[in-house]
Amino acid sequence: MLKYVSDLMTPDPLCIGQTDSLKVAHDLMREKNIRHIPIIDDQGQLQGMLTQKIMIANVMKILATYGQLALERKEKQQKAQEVMATDFVAVRPDEKLKDVATYFVKNRHGCLPVVTEDGKLQGIITSSDFVRLAAALLGSEG
């Protein structure tokens, strides 16, 4: 039975470094069909989160200011650390899934990074993980 975040999270999620460009993040999101990218430093410490919402806002800003032809160049010039969210909540692998599920419902977040006690990125848990879990549980009842 799944009980803890570590039981459901995606371990070792795709992530990028603070100095990687928005172009790198944009390409990763598109190629891997992901909506959240943790941003880490050289020691693997979580520094921020880059979400699809942040990416869309930045792309729209670049398009409105510079036009379509400048999009790729401008994305290459802007670093992830310049736009990443730093006011996020992180969870520990040993937190109970029921508490994290309640947090998702109350706060409408799409993901939560999973970190060790010293802040090292260990995984990511998303609202989609809970939907897949619910589908599996509902399927096992029928």
Side-chain angles (χ1 to χ4, degrees):
M1 175 93 182
L2 302 177
K3 188 174 182 180
Y4 299 103
V5 167
S6 60
D7 297 329
L8 188 61
M9 73 179 192
T10 299
D12 303 316
L14 296 171
C15 55
I16 62 173
Q18 295 171 274
T19 58
D20 284 330
S21 71
L22 286 186
K23 176 73 172 132
V24 168
H26 196 169
D27 289 347
L28 184 63
M29 284 181 164
R30 195 176 15 227
E31 290 167 13
K32 301 297 184 180
N33 196 28
I34 57 175
R35 298 179 299 146
H36 312 94
I37 302 177
I39 311 297
I40 58 172
D41 64 16
D42 294 337
Q43 290 76 42
Q45 299 287 325
L46 181 64
Q47 300 298 310
M49 291 294 296
L50 196 53
T51 65
Q52 184 178 39
K53 185 176 180 180
I54 292 171
M55 286 298 301
I56 290 170
N58 278 280
V59 166
M60 297 305 291
K61 182 179 175 184
I62 291 169
L63 290 174
T65 306
Y66 303 102
Q68 176 68 36
L69 296 176
L71 179 61
E72 185 172 339
R73 179 173 46 88
K74 291 295 183 180
E75 280 189 322
K76 286 179 180 178
Q77 293 172 348
Q78 195 163 22
K79 305 294 180 210
Q81 66 187 2
E82 296 172 24
V83 298
M84 67 184 183
T86 56
D87 61 341
F88 56 86
V89 173
V91 295
R92 303 243 190 281
D94 60 351
E95 289 191 47
K96 292 182 180 178
L97 282 175
K98 67 177 183 171
D99 296 335
V100 175
T102 300
Y103 179 84
F104 273 119
V105 170
K106 288 183 178 179
N107 295 284
R108 296 179 148 205
H109 284 266
C111 80
L112 291 170
V114 182
V115 297
T116 59
E117 197 169 306
D118 64 352
K120 187 171 182 181
L121 181 67
Q122 189 168 14
I124 192 167
I125 190 162
T126 68
S127 55
S128 296
D129 293 327
F130 283 97
V131 171
R132 277 191 292 279
L133 175 60
L137 293 172
L138 291 170
S140 68
E141 290 178 6

PDB file of all heavy atoms in Angstrom, residues 65-85:
ATOM      1  N   THR A  65       7.287  41.829 -27.017  1.00  0.00           N
ATOM      2  CA  THR A  65       8.316  42.867 -27.025  1.00  0.00           C
ATOM      3  C   THR A  65       9.194  42.825 -28.271  1.00  0.00           C
ATOM      4  O   THR A  65       9.518  43.869 -28.839  1.00  0.00           O
ATOM      5  CB  THR A  65       9.211  42.734 -25.771  1.00  0.00           C
ATOM      6  OG1 THR A  65       8.387  42.730 -24.610  1.00  0.00           O
ATOM      7  CG2 THR A  65      10.212  43.875 -25.683  1.00  0.00           C
ATOM      8  N   TYR A  66       9.593  41.614 -28.694  1.00  0.00           N
ATOM      9  CA  TYR A  66      10.594  41.488 -29.754  1.00  0.00           C
ATOM     10  C   TYR A  66      10.100  40.791 -31.017  1.00  0.00           C
ATOM     11  O   TYR A  66      10.771  40.827 -32.044  1.00  0.00           O
ATOM     12  CB  TYR A  66      11.818  40.730 -29.230  1.00  0.00           C
ATOM     13  CG  TYR A  66      12.438  41.374 -28.027  1.00  0.00           C
ATOM     14  CD1 TYR A  66      12.213  40.857 -26.748  1.00  0.00           C
ATOM     15  CD2 TYR A  66      13.237  42.502 -28.151  1.00  0.00           C
ATOM     16  CE1 TYR A  66      12.780  41.441 -25.631  1.00  0.00           C
ATOM     17  CE2 TYR A  66      13.809  43.102 -27.039  1.00  0.00           C
ATOM     18  CZ  TYR A  66      13.577  42.558 -25.780  1.00  0.00           C
ATOM     19  OH  TYR A  66      14.128  43.151 -24.682  1.00  0.00           O
ATOM     20  N   GLY A  67       8.972  40.083 -30.939  1.00  0.00           N
ATOM     21  CA  GLY A  67       8.453  39.382 -32.106  1.00  0.00           C
ATOM     22  C   GLY A  67       8.947  37.956 -32.216  1.00  0.00           C
ATOM     23  O   GLY A  67       9.899  37.541 -31.550  1.00  0.00           O
ATOM     24  N   GLN A  68       8.289  37.208 -33.075  1.00  0.00           N
ATOM     25  CA  GLN A  68       8.548  35.778 -33.264  1.00  0.00           C
ATOM     26  C   GLN A  68       9.994  35.484 -33.660  1.00  0.00           C
ATOM     27  O   GLN A  68      10.586  34.522 -33.201  1.00  0.00           O
ATOM     28  CB  GLN A  68       7.592  35.226 -34.326  1.00  0.00           C
ATOM     29  CG  GLN A  68       7.813  33.775 -34.686  1.00  0.00           C
ATOM     30  CD  GLN A  68       7.471  32.808 -33.564  1.00  0.00           C
ATOM     31  OE1 GLN A  68       6.526  33.037 -32.826  1.00  0.00           O
ATOM     32  NE2 GLN A  68       8.240  31.752 -33.429  1.00  0.00           N
ATOM     33  N   LEU A  69      10.556  36.314 -34.525  1.00  0.00           N
ATOM     34  CA  LEU A  69      11.902  36.045 -35.028  1.00  0.00           C
ATOM     35  C   LEU A  69      12.972  36.117 -33.941  1.00  0.00           C
ATOM     36  O   LEU A  69      14.036  35.509 -34.082  1.00  0.00           O
ATOM     37  CB  LEU A  69      12.248  37.005 -36.170  1.00  0.00           C
ATOM     38  CG  LEU A  69      11.372  36.865 -37.415  1.00  0.00           C
ATOM     39  CD1 LEU A  69      11.731  37.920 -38.455  1.00  0.00           C
ATOM     40  CD2 LEU A  69      11.486  35.471 -38.003  1.00  0.00           C
ATOM     41  N   ALA A  70      12.706  36.820 -32.865  1.00  0.00           N
ATOM     42  CA  ALA A  70      13.696  36.976 -31.794  1.00  0.00           C
ATOM     43  C   ALA A  70      13.515  35.969 -30.661  1.00  0.00           C
ATOM     44  O   ALA A  70      14.332  35.926 -29.741  1.00  0.00           O
ATOM     45  CB  ALA A  70      13.624  38.393 -31.227  1.00  0.00           C
ATOM     46  N   LEU A  71      12.478  35.159 -30.731  1.00  0.00           N
ATOM     47  CA  LEU A  71      12.155  34.273 -29.605  1.00  0.00           C
ATOM     48  C   LEU A  71      13.311  33.351 -29.219  1.00  0.00           C
ATOM     49  O   LEU A  71      13.735  33.333 -28.064  1.00  0.00           O
ATOM     50  CB  LEU A  71      10.903  33.441 -29.915  1.00  0.00           C
ATOM     51  CG  LEU A  71      10.474  32.459 -28.821  1.00  0.00           C
ATOM     52  CD1 LEU A  71      10.150  33.182 -27.529  1.00  0.00           C
ATOM     53  CD2 LEU A  71       9.273  31.636 -29.285  1.00  0.00           C
ATOM     54  N   GLU A  72      13.832  32.605 -30.161  1.00  0.00           N
ATOM     55  CA  GLU A  72      14.895  31.645 -29.832  1.00  0.00           C
ATOM     56  C   GLU A  72      16.135  32.359 -29.290  1.00  0.00           C
ATOM     57  O   GLU A  72      16.725  31.934 -28.294  1.00  0.00           O
ATOM     58  CB  GLU A  72      15.260  30.817 -31.062  1.00  0.00           C
ATOM     59  CG  GLU A  72      16.262  29.722 -30.752  1.00  0.00           C
ATOM     60  CD  GLU A  72      16.485  28.779 -31.923  1.00  0.00           C
ATOM     61  OE1 GLU A  72      15.636  28.692 -32.816  1.00  0.00           O
ATOM     62  OE2 GLU A  72      17.530  28.110 -31.902  1.00  0.00           O
ATOM     63  N   ARG A  73      16.518  33.454 -29.909  1.00  0.00           N
ATOM     64  CA  ARG A  73      17.700  34.201 -29.464  1.00  0.00           C
ATOM     65  C   ARG A  73      17.517  34.731 -28.047  1.00  0.00           C
ATOM     66  O   ARG A  73      18.403  34.603 -27.203  1.00  0.00           O
ATOM     67  CB  ARG A  73      17.973  35.363 -30.430  1.00  0.00           C
ATOM     68  CG  ARG A  73      19.163  36.214 -30.049  1.00  0.00           C
ATOM     69  CD  ARG A  73      19.489  37.245 -31.129  1.00  0.00           C
ATOM     70  NE  ARG A  73      18.338  37.959 -31.651  1.00  0.00           N
ATOM     71  CZ  ARG A  73      17.841  39.086 -31.127  1.00  0.00           C
ATOM     72  NH1 ARG A  73      18.375  39.609 -30.052  1.00  0.00           N
ATOM     73  NH2 ARG A  73      16.800  39.676 -31.678  1.00  0.00           N
ATOM     74  N   LYS A  74      16.352  35.288 -27.774  1.00  0.00           N
ATOM     75  CA  LYS A  74      16.079  35.838 -26.443  1.00  0.00           C
ATOM     76  C   LYS A  74      16.007  34.739 -25.383  1.00  0.00           C
ATOM     77  O   LYS A  74      16.456  34.920 -24.256  1.00  0.00           O
ATOM     78  CB  LYS A  74      14.800  36.670 -26.442  1.00  0.00           C
ATOM     79  CG  LYS A  74      14.916  37.970 -27.212  1.00  0.00           C
ATOM     80  CD  LYS A  74      15.914  38.880 -26.539  1.00  0.00           C
ATOM     81  CE  LYS A  74      16.010  40.215 -27.213  1.00  0.00           C
ATOM     82  NZ  LYS A  74      16.984  41.109 -26.544  1.00  0.00           N
ATOM     83  N   GLU A  75      15.429  33.590 -25.743  1.00  0.00           N
ATOM     84  CA  GLU A  75      15.379  32.468 -24.797  1.00  0.00           C
ATOM     85  C   GLU A  75      16.782  31.963 -24.472  1.00  0.00           C
ATOM     86  O   GLU A  75      17.060  31.570 -23.338  1.00  0.00           O
ATOM     87  CB  GLU A  75      14.533  31.319 -25.347  1.00  0.00           C
ATOM     88  CG  GLU A  75      13.060  31.519 -25.198  1.00  0.00           C
ATOM     89  CD  GLU A  75      12.275  30.271 -25.562  1.00  0.00           C
ATOM     90  OE1 GLU A  75      12.652  29.558 -26.511  1.00  0.00           O
ATOM     91  OE2 GLU A  75      11.279  30.014 -24.878  1.00  0.00           O
ATOM     92  N   LYS A  76      17.662  31.986 -25.442  1.00  0.00           N
ATOM     93  CA  LYS A  76      19.045  31.563 -25.213  1.00  0.00           C
ATOM     94  C   LYS A  76      19.794  32.534 -24.299  1.00  0.00           C
ATOM     95  O   LYS A  76      20.697  32.144 -23.572  1.00  0.00           O
ATOM     96  CB  LYS A  76      19.799  31.424 -26.535  1.00  0.00           C
ATOM     97  CG  LYS A  76      19.414  30.204 -27.331  1.00  0.00           C
ATOM     98  CD  LYS A  76      20.188  30.147 -28.629  1.00  0.00           C
ATOM     99  CE  LYS A  76      19.815  28.923 -29.446  1.00  0.00           C
ATOM    100  NZ  LYS A  76      20.525  28.882 -30.741  1.00  0.00           N
ATOM    101  N   GLN A  77      19.397  33.804 -24.326  1.00  0.00           N
ATOM    102  CA  GLN A  77      20.075  34.822 -23.526  1.00  0.00           C
ATOM    103  C   GLN A  77      19.602  34.870 -22.076  1.00  0.00           C
ATOM    104  O   GLN A  77      20.324  35.335 -21.208  1.00  0.00           O
ATOM    105  CB  GLN A  77      19.871  36.212 -24.156  1.00  0.00           C
ATOM    106  CG  GLN A  77      20.545  36.373 -25.487  1.00  0.00           C
ATOM    107  CD  GLN A  77      20.158  37.673 -26.174  1.00  0.00           C
ATOM    108  OE1 GLN A  77      19.222  38.357 -25.777  1.00  0.00           O
ATOM    109  NE2 GLN A  77      20.900  38.019 -27.224  1.00  0.00           N
ATOM    110  N   GLN A  78      18.407  34.414 -21.807  1.00  0.00           N
ATOM    111  CA  GLN A  78      17.834  34.503 -20.460  1.00  0.00           C
ATOM    112  C   GLN A  78      18.111  33.224 -19.680  1.00  0.00           C
ATOM    113  O   GLN A  78      17.903  32.121 -20.174  1.00  0.00           O
ATOM    114  CB  GLN A  78      16.334  34.770 -20.527  1.00  0.00           C
ATOM    115  CG  GLN A  78      15.765  35.224 -19.212  1.00  0.00           C
ATOM    116  CD  GLN A  78      14.392  35.863 -19.387  1.00  0.00           C
ATOM    117  OE1 GLN A  78      13.702  35.634 -20.364  1.00  0.00           O
ATOM    118  NE2 GLN A  78      14.013  36.661 -18.423  1.00  0.00           N
ATOM    119  N   LYS A  79      18.589  33.383 -18.451  1.00  0.00           N
ATOM    120  CA  LYS A  79      18.924  32.245 -17.594  1.00  0.00           C
ATOM    121  C   LYS A  79      17.721  31.817 -16.765  1.00  0.00           C
ATOM    122  O   LYS A  79      16.890  32.630 -16.368  1.00  0.00           O
ATOM    123  CB  LYS A  79      20.083  32.594 -16.662  1.00  0.00           C
ATOM    124  CG  LYS A  79      21.328  33.092 -17.372  1.00  0.00           C
ATOM    125  CD  LYS A  79      21.928  32.003 -18.216  1.00  0.00           C
ATOM    126  CE  LYS A  79      23.174  32.492 -18.938  1.00  0.00           C
ATOM    127  NZ  LYS A  79      23.377  31.839 -20.196  1.00  0.00           N
ATOM    128  N   ALA A  80      17.657  30.526 -16.472  1.00  0.00           N
ATOM    129  CA  ALA A  80      16.560  29.971 -15.677  1.00  0.00           C
ATOM    130  C   ALA A  80      16.443  30.673 -14.329  1.00  0.00           C
ATOM    131  O   ALA A  80      15.341  30.951 -13.854  1.00  0.00           O
ATOM    132  CB  ALA A  80      16.767  28.477 -15.475  1.00  0.00           C
ATOM    133  N   GLN A  81      17.568  30.974 -13.705  1.00  0.00           N
ATOM    134  CA  GLN A  81      17.538  31.602 -12.386  1.00  0.00           C
ATOM    135  C   GLN A  81      16.900  32.991 -12.396  1.00  0.00           C
ATOM    136  O   GLN A  81      16.453  33.467 -11.364  1.00  0.00           O
ATOM    137  CB  GLN A  81      18.936  31.660 -11.781  1.00  0.00           C
ATOM    138  CG  GLN A  81      19.902  32.561 -12.512  1.00  0.00           C
ATOM    139  CD  GLN A  81      21.319  32.448 -11.961  1.00  0.00           C
ATOM    140  OE1 GLN A  81      21.575  31.669 -11.047  1.00  0.00           O
ATOM    141  NE2 GLN A  81      22.228  33.214 -12.513  1.00  0.00           N
ATOM    142  N   GLU A  82      16.812  33.618 -13.559  1.00  0.00           N
ATOM    143  CA  GLU A  82      16.218  34.947 -13.657  1.00  0.00           C
ATOM    144  C   GLU A  82      14.697  34.906 -13.553  1.00  0.00           C
ATOM    145  O   GLU A  82      14.084  35.907 -13.201  1.00  0.00           O
ATOM    146  CB  GLU A  82      16.621  35.611 -14.984  1.00  0.00           C
ATOM    147  CG  GLU A  82      18.107  35.878 -15.106  1.00  0.00           C
ATOM    148  CD  GLU A  82      18.495  36.354 -16.493  1.00  0.00           C
ATOM    149  OE1 GLU A  82      17.644  36.913 -17.221  1.00  0.00           O
ATOM    150  OE2 GLU A  82      19.672  36.148 -16.870  1.00  0.00           O
ATOM    151  N   VAL A  83      14.094  33.773 -13.872  1.00  0.00           N
ATOM    152  CA  VAL A  83      12.632  33.697 -13.889  1.00  0.00           C
ATOM    153  C   VAL A  83      12.051  32.580 -13.022  1.00  0.00           C
ATOM    154  O   VAL A  83      10.844  32.495 -12.852  1.00  0.00           O
ATOM    155  CB  VAL A  83      12.095  33.554 -15.333  1.00  0.00           C
ATOM    156  CG1 VAL A  83      12.460  34.769 -16.168  1.00  0.00           C
ATOM    157  CG2 VAL A  83      12.588  32.276 -15.975  1.00  0.00           C
ATOM    158  N   MET A  84      12.905  31.738 -12.462  1.00  0.00           N
ATOM    159  CA  MET A  84      12.399  30.595 -11.680  1.00  0.00           C
ATOM    160  C   MET A  84      11.646  31.067 -10.441  1.00  0.00           C
ATOM    161  O   MET A  84      11.921  32.137  -9.899  1.00  0.00           O
ATOM    162  CB  MET A  84      13.557  29.685 -11.260  1.00  0.00           C
ATOM    163  CG  MET A  84      14.509  30.304 -10.266  1.00  0.00           C
ATOM    164  SD  MET A  84      15.889  29.190  -9.937  1.00  0.00           S
ATOM    165  CE  MET A  84      16.747  30.165  -8.678  1.00  0.00           C
ATOM    166  N   ALA A  85      10.699  30.259 -10.031  1.00  0.00           N
ATOM    167  CA  ALA A  85       9.969  30.535  -8.791  1.00  0.00           C
ATOM    168  C   ALA A  85      10.843  30.095  -7.619  1.00  0.00           C
ATOM    169  O   ALA A  85      11.415  29.008  -7.636  1.00  0.00           O
ATOM    170  CB  ALA A  85       8.654  29.769  -8.780  1.00  0.00           C
TER     171      ALA A  85
END
